[in-house]
Coordinates of all heavy atoms in Angstrom, one line a residue:
M1 N 41.6 89.7 28.7 CA 42.7 89.9 29.5 C 43.4 88.6 29.9 O 42.7 87.8 30.5 CB 42.2 90.6 30.8 CG 42.9 91.9 31.1 SD 42.1 92.5 32.5 CE 43.4 93.3 33.2
T2 N 44.6 88.5 29.5 CA 45.3 87.3 29.9 C 46.3 87.5 31.0 O 46.8 88.6 31.1 CB 46.0 86.8 28.6 OG1 46.9 87.7 28.2 CG2 45.0 86.4 27.5
Y3 N 46.5 86.6 31.8 CA 47.4 86.7 32.9 C 48.8 86.4 32.4 O 49.1 85.3 31.8 CB 47.0 85.7 34.0 CG 48.0 85.7 35.1 CD1 48.1 86.7 36.0 CD2 48.8 84.6 35.3 CE1 49.0 86.7 37.0 CE2 49.8 84.5 36.3 CZ 49.9 85.6 37.2 OH 50.8 85.6 38.2
E4 N 49.7 87.4 32.6 CA 51.1 87.2 32.3 C 51.9 87.3 33.5 O 51.9 88.3 34.2 CB 51.5 88.2 31.3 CG 50.8 88.2 29.9 CD 51.3 89.3 29.0 OE1 52.3 89.9 29.3 OE2 50.6 89.5 28.0
P5 N 52.6 86.3 33.9 CA 53.4 86.3 35.1 C 54.6 87.3 34.9 O 55.1 87.5 33.8 CB 53.9 84.9 35.3 CG 53.8 84.3 34.0 CD 52.7 85.0 33.2
E6 N 54.9 87.9 36.0 CA 56.0 88.9 35.9 C 57.3 88.1 35.7 O 57.5 87.0 36.2 CB 56.1 89.7 37.2 CG 55.0 90.6 37.4 CD 55.2 91.5 38.6 OE1 56.4 91.8 39.0 OE2 54.3 92.0 39.2
P7 N 58.2 88.7 34.9 CA 59.5 88.0 34.6 C 60.3 87.9 35.9 O 60.3 88.9 36.7 CB 60.2 88.9 33.6 CG 59.5 90.2 33.7 CD 58.1 90.0 34.2
T8 N 60.9 86.8 36.1 CA 61.7 86.6 37.3 C 63.1 87.3 37.1 O 63.6 87.2 36.0 CB 61.9 85.1 37.6 OG1 62.5 84.5 36.5 CG2 60.6 84.5 37.9
P9 N 63.6 87.9 38.1 CA 64.9 88.5 38.0 C 66.0 87.5 37.8 O 65.8 86.3 38.3 CB 65.1 89.3 39.3 CG 64.1 88.7 40.2 CD 63.0 88.1 39.5
P10 N 67.0 87.8 37.1 CA 68.1 86.8 37.0 C 68.7 86.4 38.3 O 68.8 87.2 39.2 CB 69.1 87.5 36.1 CG 68.8 88.9 36.1 CD 67.3 89.0 36.5
V11 N 69.1 85.2 38.5 CA 69.6 84.7 39.7 C 71.2 84.8 39.6 O 71.8 84.4 38.6 CB 69.3 83.2 39.9 CG1 69.9 82.6 41.2 CG2 67.8 83.0 40.0
P12 N 71.8 85.4 40.7 CA 73.2 85.6 40.6 C 73.9 84.2 40.7 O 73.4 83.3 41.4 CB 73.5 86.5 41.8 CG 72.4 86.4 42.7 CD 71.2 86.0 41.9
E13 N 75.1 84.1 40.1 CA 75.8 82.9 40.1 C 76.7 82.8 41.4 O 77.3 83.8 41.8 CB 76.7 82.9 38.9 CG 77.7 81.7 38.9 CD 78.7 81.9 37.7 OE1 78.6 82.8 37.0 OE2 79.5 81.0 37.6
L14 N 76.7 81.7 42.1 CA 77.5 81.5 43.3 C 78.9 81.3 42.9 O 79.3 80.3 42.2 CB 77.0 80.3 44.1 CG 77.8 80.0 45.4 CD1 77.7 81.1 46.4 CD2 77.3 78.7 46.0
L15 N 79.8 82.2 43.3 CA 81.2 82.1 42.9 C 82.0 81.3 44.0 O 83.1 80.8 43.6 CB 81.8 83.5 42.8 CG 81.2 84.3 41.7 CD1 81.8 85.7 41.7 CD2 81.3 83.7 40.3
G16 N 81.6 81.3 45.2 CA 82.3 80.6 46.2 C 82.1 81.2 47.6 O 81.1 81.9 47.8
T17 N 83.0 81.1 48.5 CA 82.9 81.7 49.8 C 84.2 82.6 50.0 O 85.2 82.4 49.5 CB 82.8 80.7 50.9 OG1 83.9 79.8 50.8 CG2 81.5 79.9 50.7
D18 N 84.0 83.6 50.9 CA 85.1 84.4 51.3 C 85.8 83.8 52.5 O 85.5 82.6 52.9 CB 84.7 85.8 51.6 CG 83.7 85.9 52.8 OD1 83.4 84.9 53.4 OD2 83.3 87.0 53.1
T19 N 86.8 84.5 53.1 CA 87.6 83.9 54.1 C 86.8 83.6 55.4 O 87.2 82.9 56.3 CB 88.8 84.8 54.5 OG1 88.3 86.1 54.8 CG2 89.8 84.9 53.3
F20 N 85.6 84.3 55.5 CA 84.8 84.1 56.7 C 83.7 83.1 56.5 O 82.8 82.9 57.3 CB 84.2 85.4 57.2 CG 85.3 86.4 57.6 CD1 85.5 87.5 56.8 CD2 86.0 86.3 58.7 CE1 86.5 88.4 57.1 CE2 86.9 87.2 59.1 CZ 87.2 88.3 58.3
G21 N 83.7 82.4 55.3 CA 82.7 81.4 55.0 C 81.4 82.0 54.5 O 80.4 81.2 54.3
R22 N 81.3 83.3 54.2 CA 80.1 83.8 53.6 C 80.1 83.6 52.1 O 81.1 83.6 51.4 CB 80.1 85.4 53.9 CG 80.0 85.7 55.4 CD 80.0 87.1 55.6 NE 81.3 87.7 55.1 CZ 81.9 88.7 55.6 NH1 81.3 89.4 56.6 NH2 83.1 89.1 55.2
P23 N 78.9 83.4 51.5 CA 78.8 83.1 50.1 C 79.1 84.4 49.3 O 78.8 85.5 49.7 CB 77.4 82.7 49.8 CG 76.6 83.2 51.0 CD 77.6 83.3 52.1
V24 N 79.8 84.2 48.1 CA 80.1 85.3 47.2 C 79.4 85.0 45.9 O 79.6 84.0 45.3 CB 81.7 85.4 47.0 CG1 82.0 86.5 46.0 CG2 82.4 85.7 48.4
Y25 N 78.6 86.0 45.5 CA 77.8 85.8 44.3 C 78.4 86.8 43.2 O 78.9 87.8 43.5 CB 76.4 86.2 44.5 CG 75.7 85.2 45.4 CD1 75.5 85.5 46.8 CD2 75.2 84.0 45.0 CE1 74.9 84.6 47.6 CE2 74.6 83.1 45.8 CZ 74.4 83.4 47.2 OH 73.8 82.6 48.0
G26 N 78.2 86.4 42.0 CA 78.6 87.2 40.8 C 77.4 88.1 40.5 O 76.3 88.0 41.0
H27 N 77.6 89.0 39.6 CA 76.6 90.0 39.2 C 75.6 89.2 38.4 O 75.9 88.4 37.5 CB 77.2 91.1 38.4 CG 76.2 92.3 38.4 ND1 75.2 92.4 37.6 CD2 76.3 93.5 39.1 CE1 74.5 93.5 37.8 NE2 75.2 94.2 38.7
P28 N 74.2 89.4 38.6 CA 73.2 88.6 37.9 C 73.1 88.9 36.4 O 72.6 88.1 35.7 CB 71.9 88.9 38.6 CG 72.2 90.3 39.2 CD 73.6 90.3 39.6
L29 N 73.5 90.1 36.0 CA 73.4 90.5 34.6 C 74.7 90.3 33.9 O 75.8 90.5 34.5 CB 72.9 91.9 34.5 CG 71.6 92.2 35.1 CD1 71.3 93.7 35.0 CD2 70.5 91.5 34.4
P30 N 74.7 90.0 32.6 CA 75.9 89.9 31.8 C 76.6 91.3 31.8 O 75.9 92.3 31.9 CB 75.5 89.5 30.4 CG 74.1 89.5 30.4 CD 73.5 89.6 31.8
P31 N 77.9 91.4 31.5 CA 78.6 92.7 31.6 C 77.9 93.8 30.7 O 77.9 94.9 31.0 CB 80.0 92.4 31.1 CG 80.2 90.9 31.4 CD 78.8 90.3 31.3
A32 N 77.4 93.4 29.5 CA 76.8 94.4 28.6 C 75.5 95.0 29.2 O 75.2 96.1 28.8 CB 76.5 93.7 27.3
Q33 N 74.8 94.3 30.0 CA 73.5 94.8 30.6 C 73.7 95.4 32.0 O 72.7 95.9 32.5 CB 72.5 93.7 30.6 CG 72.2 93.1 29.2 CD 71.2 92.0 29.3 OE1 70.9 91.5 30.4 NE2 70.8 91.5 28.2
R34 N 74.8 95.4 32.6 CA 75.0 95.9 33.9 C 74.8 97.4 33.9 O 75.3 98.1 33.0 CB 76.3 95.5 34.5 CG 76.5 94.1 34.8 CD 77.8 93.8 35.4 NE 78.0 92.4 35.4 CZ 79.2 91.8 35.5 NH1 80.3 92.5 35.6 NH2 79.3 90.5 35.5
P35 N 74.1 97.9 34.9 CA 74.0 99.4 35.0 C 75.4 100.0 35.3 O 76.1 99.5 36.1 CB 73.0 99.6 36.1 CG 73.0 98.4 36.9 CD 73.4 97.3 36.0
Q36 N 75.7 101.0 34.6 CA 77.0 101.7 34.8 C 76.8 102.9 35.8 O 75.7 103.6 35.7 CB 77.5 102.3 33.5 CG 77.8 101.2 32.4 CD 79.0 100.3 32.9 OE1 79.9 100.8 33.5 NE2 78.8 99.0 32.7
A37 N 77.7 103.1 36.6 CA 77.7 104.2 37.5 C 77.9 105.5 36.7 O 78.7 105.5 35.8 CB 78.7 104.1 38.6
P38 N 77.2 106.5 37.0 CA 77.4 107.8 36.3 C 78.7 108.3 36.5 O 79.3 108.2 37.6 CB 76.3 108.7 36.8 CG 75.9 108.1 38.1 CD 76.1 106.6 38.1
V39 N 79.3 108.9 35.5 CA 80.6 109.5 35.6 C 80.4 111.0 35.8 O 79.8 111.7 35.0 CB 81.5 109.2 34.4 CG1 82.8 109.9 34.5 CG2 81.6 107.7 34.2
Y40 N 81.0 111.6 36.9 CA 80.8 113.0 37.1 C 82.2 113.6 37.0 O 83.2 113.0 37.3 CB 80.4 113.2 38.6 CG 79.0 112.7 38.8 CD1 78.7 111.6 39.6 CD2 77.9 113.4 38.3 CE1 77.5 111.1 39.8 CE2 76.6 112.9 38.6 CZ 76.4 111.8 39.3 OH 75.1 111.3 39.5
A41 N 82.2 114.8 36.5 CA 83.4 115.6 36.4 C 83.9 116.0 37.8 O 83.0 116.3 38.6 CB 83.2 116.8 35.5
P42 N 85.1 116.0 38.0 CA 85.6 116.4 39.4 C 85.2 117.9 39.7 O 85.2 118.7 38.8 CB 87.1 116.3 39.3 CG 87.4 116.3 37.9 CD 86.3 115.8 37.2
Q43 N 84.7 118.1 40.9 CA 84.3 119.4 41.2 C 85.5 120.3 41.6 O 86.3 119.9 42.4 CB 83.3 119.4 42.4 CG 82.1 118.6 42.1 CD 80.9 119.4 42.4 OE1 80.9 120.4 43.0 NE2 79.7 118.9 41.9
V44 N 85.6 121.4 41.0 CA 86.7 122.4 41.3 C 86.1 123.4 42.2 O 85.0 124.0 42.0 CB 87.1 123.1 40.0 CG1 88.2 124.1 40.3 CG2 87.6 122.1 39.0
P45 N 86.7 123.6 43.4 CA 86.2 124.5 44.3 C 86.2 126.0 43.8 O 87.2 126.3 43.0 CB 87.1 124.4 45.6 CG 88.4 123.8 45.0 CD 88.0 123.0 43.8
A46 N 85.2 126.7 44.1 CA 85.1 128.1 43.6 C 86.2 128.9 44.3 O 86.5 128.6 45.5 CB 83.7 128.6 43.9
P47 N 86.7 129.9 43.6 CA 87.7 130.7 44.3 C 87.0 131.5 45.5 O 85.9 131.9 45.4 CB 88.2 131.7 43.2 CG 87.1 131.6 42.2 CD 86.5 130.3 42.3
A48 N 87.8 131.6 46.6 CA 87.3 132.2 47.8 C 87.1 133.7 47.5 O 88.0 134.4 47.0 CB 88.2 132.0 48.9
R49 N 85.9 134.2 47.8 CA 85.7 135.6 47.6 C 85.5 136.3 49.0 O 84.9 135.7 49.9 CB 84.4 135.9 46.9 CG 84.5 135.4 45.4 CD 83.3 135.8 44.6 NE 82.0 135.3 45.2 CZ 80.9 135.9 45.1 NH1 80.8 137.0 44.4 NH2 79.8 135.4 45.6
R50 N 86.1 137.4 49.2 CA 86.0 138.1 50.4 C 84.8 139.1 50.3 O 84.5 139.6 49.3 CB 87.2 138.9 50.7 CG 88.4 138.0 51.0 CD 89.6 138.7 51.5 NE 89.3 139.5 52.7 CZ 89.4 139.1 53.9 NH1 89.8 137.9 54.2 NH2 89.2 140.0 54.9
A51 N 84.1 139.2 51.4 CA 82.9 140.1 51.5 C 83.4 141.6 51.3 O 84.5 142.0 51.7 CB 82.2 140.0 52.8
A52 N 82.6 142.3 50.5 CA 82.9 143.7 50.3 C 82.9 144.6 51.5 O 83.6 145.5 51.7 CB 82.0 144.3 49.2
G53 N 81.9 144.2 52.4 CA 81.7 145.0 53.6 C 82.4 144.4 54.8 O 83.4 143.7 54.7
L54 N 81.9 144.7 56.0 CA 82.5 144.2 57.2 C 82.0 142.8 57.5 O 80.9 142.5 57.3 CB 82.2 145.1 58.4 CG 82.7 146.6 58.3 CD1 82.1 147.4 59.5 CD2 84.2 146.6 58.3
S55 N 82.9 142.0 58.0 CA 82.5 140.6 58.3 C 81.8 140.7 59.7 O 81.9 141.7 60.4 CB 83.7 139.7 58.4 OG 84.6 140.1 59.5
T56 N 81.2 139.6 60.1 CA 80.5 139.5 61.3 C 81.4 139.7 62.5 O 81.1 140.3 63.5 CB 79.8 138.1 61.4 OG1 78.9 138.0 60.3 CG2 78.9 138.1 62.7
G57 N 82.6 139.1 62.4 CA 83.6 139.2 63.5 C 84.0 140.6 63.7 O 84.2 141.1 64.8
R58 N 84.2 141.4 62.6 CA 84.7 142.8 62.7 C 83.5 143.6 63.3 O 83.8 144.5 64.1 CB 85.1 143.3 61.4 CG 86.4 142.8 60.9 CD 86.8 143.4 59.6 NE 88.1 142.9 59.2 CZ 88.7 143.2 58.1 NH1 88.1 144.1 57.3 NH2 89.8 142.7 57.7
V59 N 82.3 143.4 62.9 CA 81.2 144.1 63.4 C 81.1 143.9 64.9 O 80.9 144.8 65.7 CB 79.9 143.8 62.7 CG1 78.7 144.4 63.4 CG2 80.0 144.2 61.2
A60 N 81.2 142.6 65.3 CA 81.1 142.3 66.8 C 82.3 143.0 67.5 O 82.1 143.5 68.6 CB 81.2 140.8 67.0
A61 N 83.5 143.0 67.0 CA 84.6 143.6 67.6 C 84.4 145.1 67.8 O 84.7 145.7 68.8 CB 85.9 143.3 66.9
L62 N 83.9 145.7 66.7 CA 83.6 147.2 66.8 C 82.5 147.5 67.8 O 82.6 148.5 68.5 CB 83.2 147.7 65.4 CG 84.4 147.8 64.4 CD1 83.9 148.2 63.0 CD2 85.4 148.7 64.8
A63 N 81.5 146.7 67.8 CA 80.4 146.9 68.8 C 80.9 146.7 70.2 O 80.6 147.5 71.1 CB 79.2 145.9 68.5
G64 N 81.7 145.7 70.4 CA 82.3 145.5 71.8 C 83.2 146.6 72.2 O 83.2 147.1 73.3
A65 N 84.0 147.2 71.2 CA 84.9 148.3 71.5 C 84.0 149.5 71.9 O 84.4 150.3 72.8 CB 85.8 148.6 70.4
A66 N 82.9 149.7 71.1 CA 82.1 150.9 71.4 C 81.4 150.8 72.8 O 81.3 151.8 73.5 CB 81.0 151.0 70.3
V67 N 81.0 149.6 73.1 CA 80.3 149.4 74.4 C 81.4 149.6 75.5 O 81.1 150.3 76.5 CB 79.7 148.0 74.5 CG1 79.4 147.7 76.0 CG2 78.5 147.9 73.7
A68 N 82.6 149.1 75.4 CA 83.6 149.3 76.4 C 84.0 150.8 76.5 O 84.2 151.3 77.6 CB 84.9 148.5 76.0
A69 N 84.1 151.5 75.4 CA 84.5 152.9 75.4 C 83.4 153.7 76.1 O 83.6 154.6 76.9 CB 84.7 153.4 74.0
S70 N 82.1 153.4 75.8 CA 81.0 154.1 76.4 C 80.9 153.9 77.9 O 80.6 154.8 78.7 CB 79.7 153.8 75.7 OG 79.4 152.4 75.9
L71 N 81.2 152.6 78.4 CA 81.2 152.3 79.8 C 82.4 153.0 80.5 O 82.2 153.6 81.6 CB 81.3 150.8 80.0 CG 80.1 150.0 79.8 CD1 80.4 148.5 79.9 CD2 79.0 150.4 80.7
A72 N 83.5 153.1 79.8 CA 84.7 153.8 80.4 C 84.4 155.3 80.5 O 84.7 155.9 81.6 CB 85.9 153.6 79.6
L73 N 83.7 155.9 79.5 CA 83.3 157.3 79.6 C 82.3 157.5 80.7 O 82.4 158.5 81.4 CB 82.8 157.7 78.2 CG 82.3 159.1 78.1 CD1 83.5 160.1 78.2 CD2 81.6 159.4 76.8
A74 N 81.4 156.6 80.8 CA 80.3 156.8 81.9 C 81.0 156.7 83.3 O 80.7 157.5 84.2 CB 79.3 155.7 81.7
V75 N 81.9 155.8 83.5 CA 82.6 155.7 84.8 C 83.4 156.9 85.1 O 83.4 157.5 86.2 CB 83.4 154.4 84.8 CG1 84.3 154.4 86.0 CG2 82.5 153.2 84.8
S76 N 84.1 157.4 84.1 CA 85.0 158.6 84.3 C 84.1 159.8 84.5 O 84.4 160.7 85.4 CB 85.9 158.8 83.1 OG 85.2 159.1 81.9
L77 N 83.0 160.0 83.8 CA 82.1 161.1 84.1 C 81.5 161.0 85.5 O 81.3 162.1 86.2 CB 81.0 161.2 83.0 CG 81.5 161.6 81.6 CD1 80.3 161.6 80.7 CD2 82.1 163.0 81.7
L78 N 81.2 159.8 85.9 CA 80.6 159.7 87.3 C 81.7 160.0 88.3 O 81.4 160.7 89.3 CB 80.2 158.2 87.5 CG 79.6 157.9 88.8 CD1 78.3 158.6 89.0 CD2 79.3 156.4 89.0
A79 N 82.9 159.7 88.1 CA 84.0 160.0 89.0 C 84.2 161.5 89.1 O 84.4 162.1 90.1 CB 85.3 159.3 88.6
I80 N 84.1 162.2 87.9 CA 84.2 163.7 87.9 C 83.1 164.3 88.6 O 83.3 165.3 89.4 CB 84.3 164.1 86.4 CG1 85.6 163.7 85.8 CG2 84.1 165.6 86.3 CD1 85.7 164.0 84.3
A81 N 81.9 163.8 88.5 CA 80.7 164.4 89.1 C 80.8 164.2 90.6 O 80.5 165.2 91.4 CB 79.4 163.7 88.6
V82 N 81.3 163.1 91.1 CA 81.4 162.9 92.6 C 82.5 163.8 93.1 O 82.4 164.4 94.2 CB 81.8 161.4 92.9 CG1 82.3 161.2 94.3 CG2 80.6 160.5 92.6
S83 N 83.6 164.0 92.3 CA 84.7 164.9 92.7 C 84.2 166.3 92.8 O 84.6 167.1 93.7 CB 85.8 164.8 91.8 OG 86.4 163.5 91.7
V84 N 83.4 166.8 91.9 CA 82.8 168.1 91.9 C 81.9 168.4 93.1 O 82.0 169.4 93.7 CB 82.1 168.4 90.5 CG1 81.3 169.7 90.6 CG2 83.1 168.5 89.4
V85 N 81.1 167.4 93.4 CA 80.2 167.5 94.6 C 81.1 167.6 95.8 O 80.8 168.4 96.7 CB 79.2 166.4 94.6 CG1 78.5 166.3 96.0 CG2 78.2 166.5 93.5
A86 N 82.1 166.7 96.0 CA 82.9 166.7 97.1 C 83.7 168.1 97.3 O 83.8 168.6 98.4 CB 83.9 165.6 97.1
L87 N 84.2 168.6 96.2 CA 84.9 169.9 96.2 C 84.0 171.0 96.6 O 84.4 171.9 97.3 CB 85.5 170.1 94.8 CG 86.4 171.4 94.7 CD1 87.5 171.3 95.6 CD2 86.8 171.6 93.2
T88 N 82.7 171.0 96.1 CA 81.8 172.0 96.4 C 81.5 172.0 97.9 O 81.4 173.0 98.6 CB 80.5 171.8 95.6 OG1 80.8 171.8 94.2 CG2 79.5 172.9 95.9
V89 N 81.2 170.8 98.5 CA 81.0 170.7 99.9 C 82.2 171.2 100.7 O 82.1 172.0 101.7 CB 80.6 169.3 100.3 CG1 80.6 169.1 101.8 CG2 79.3 168.9 99.7
C90 N 83.4 170.8 100.3 CA 84.6 171.3 100.9 C 84.7 172.8 100.9 O 85.1 173.4 101.9 CB 85.8 170.6 100.3 SG 87.4 171.0 101.1
V91 N 84.5 173.4 99.8 CA 84.6 174.9 99.7 C 83.6 175.6 100.6 O 83.9 176.6 101.2 CB 84.4 175.3 98.2 CG1 84.2 176.8 98.1 CG2 85.7 174.9 97.4
L92 N 82.3 175.1 100.6 CA 81.3 175.7 101.4 C 81.7 175.6 102.9 O 81.5 176.5 103.7 CB 79.9 175.0 101.2 CG 79.3 175.3 99.8 CD1 78.0 174.5 99.6 CD2 79.1 176.8 99.6
V93 N 82.2 174.4 103.3 CA 82.6 174.3 104.7 C 83.7 175.2 105.1 O 83.7 175.9 106.1 CB 82.9 172.8 105.0 CG1 83.6 172.6 106.4 CG2 81.6 171.9 104.9
L94 N 84.7 175.2 104.2 CA 85.9 176.1 104.5 C 85.5 177.6 104.5 O 86.0 178.4 105.3 CB 87.0 175.9 103.4 CG 87.7 174.6 103.6 CD1 88.7 174.4 102.4 CD2 88.5 174.5 104.9
R95 N 84.5 178.0 103.6 CA 84.1 179.4 103.6 C 83.4 179.7 104.9 O 83.6 180.8 105.5 CB 83.1 179.6 102.4 CG 82.7 181.1 102.3 CD 81.9 181.3 101.1 NE 80.5 180.9 101.5 CZ 79.4 181.1 100.8 NH1 79.5 181.7 99.6 NH2 78.2 180.8 101.2
S96 N 82.6 178.8 105.4 CA 81.9 179.0 106.7 C 82.9 179.1 107.8 O 82.7 180.0 108.7 CB 80.9 177.8 106.9 OG 80.4 177.9 108.2
V97 N 83.9 178.2 107.8 CA 84.9 178.3 108.9 C 85.7 179.6 108.8 O 86.0 180.2 109.8 CB 85.8 177.0 108.8 CG1 87.1 177.2 109.7 CG2 85.1 175.8 109.1
W98 N 86.0 180.0 107.6 CA 86.7 181.3 107.4 C 85.9 182.5 107.9 O 86.5 183.4 108.5 CB 87.1 181.4 105.9 CG 87.9 182.7 105.6 CD1 87.5 183.8 105.0 CD2 89.2 182.9 106.0 NE1 88.4 184.7 104.9 CE2 89.6 184.2 105.5 CE3 90.2 182.2 106.6 CZ2 90.8 184.8 105.7 CZ3 91.5 182.8 106.8 CH2 91.7 184.0 106.3
R99 N 84.6 182.5 107.6 CA 83.8 183.6 108.1 C 83.8 183.6 109.6 O 83.8 184.7 110.3 CB 82.4 183.5 107.6 CG 82.3 183.9 106.1 CD 80.8 184.0 105.7 NE 80.8 184.4 104.3 CZ 79.7 184.4 103.6 NH1 78.5 184.0 104.1 NH2 79.7 184.9 102.4
D100 N 83.7 182.4 110.2 CA 83.7 182.3 111.7 C 85.0 182.8 112.2 O 85.0 183.5 113.3 CB 83.4 180.9 112.1 CG 82.0 180.4 111.9 OD1 81.1 181.3 111.7 OD2 81.7 179.2 111.9
V101 N 86.1 182.5 111.6 CA 87.4 182.9 112.1 C 87.5 184.4 111.9 O 88.0 185.1 112.8 CB 88.5 182.2 111.3 CG1 89.9 182.9 111.6 CG2 88.6 180.7 111.7
Q102 N 87.0 185.0 110.9 CA 87.1 186.4 110.7 C 86.2 187.2 111.6 O 86.5 188.3 112.1 CB 86.7 186.8 109.2 CG 87.6 186.2 108.2 CD 88.2 187.3 107.3 OE1 87.5 188.3 107.1 NE2 89.4 187.1 106.8
R103 N 85.1 186.7 112.0 CA 84.2 187.3 113.0 C 84.7 187.2 114.4 O 84.2 187.8 115.3 CB 82.8 186.8 112.9 CG 82.1 187.2 111.6 CD 80.7 186.7 111.5 NE 80.1 187.0 110.2 CZ 79.1 186.4 109.7 NH1 78.5 185.4 110.4 NH2 78.7 186.7 108.5
G104 N 85.7 186.3 114.6 CA 86.3 186.2 115.9 C 85.5 185.2 116.8 O 85.6 185.3 118.0
R105 N 84.9 184.3 116.3 CA 84.2 183.3 117.1 C 85.1 182.3 117.6 O 85.9 181.6 117.5 CB 83.1 182.6 116.4 CG 81.9 183.5 116.2 CD 80.8 182.6 115.6 NE 79.8 183.5 115.1 CZ 78.7 183.1 114.5 NH1 78.5 181.8 114.3 NH2 77.8 183.9 114.1

């Protein structure tokens, strides 16, 4: 087994300084050996497809409308029930008063 030192990477060439005084180096490899950036084809966006069923927003709107309608129905049925009870009490009281008037009290 012989010891082989690792090859030293090429040293970039000092080209000069930029306007702020920082050193500017050239690429360490000759142009033929420089790695090339991969070339990708431009991505074409897929055509927008609409969902066949209901969207989430429509489902939420329908659910909200159903809840509102059921609450409105419950309130109106409660109002009708209170009115029926009040009318029944009123009729019973008036009937009692009418009987008392007819008996001459």
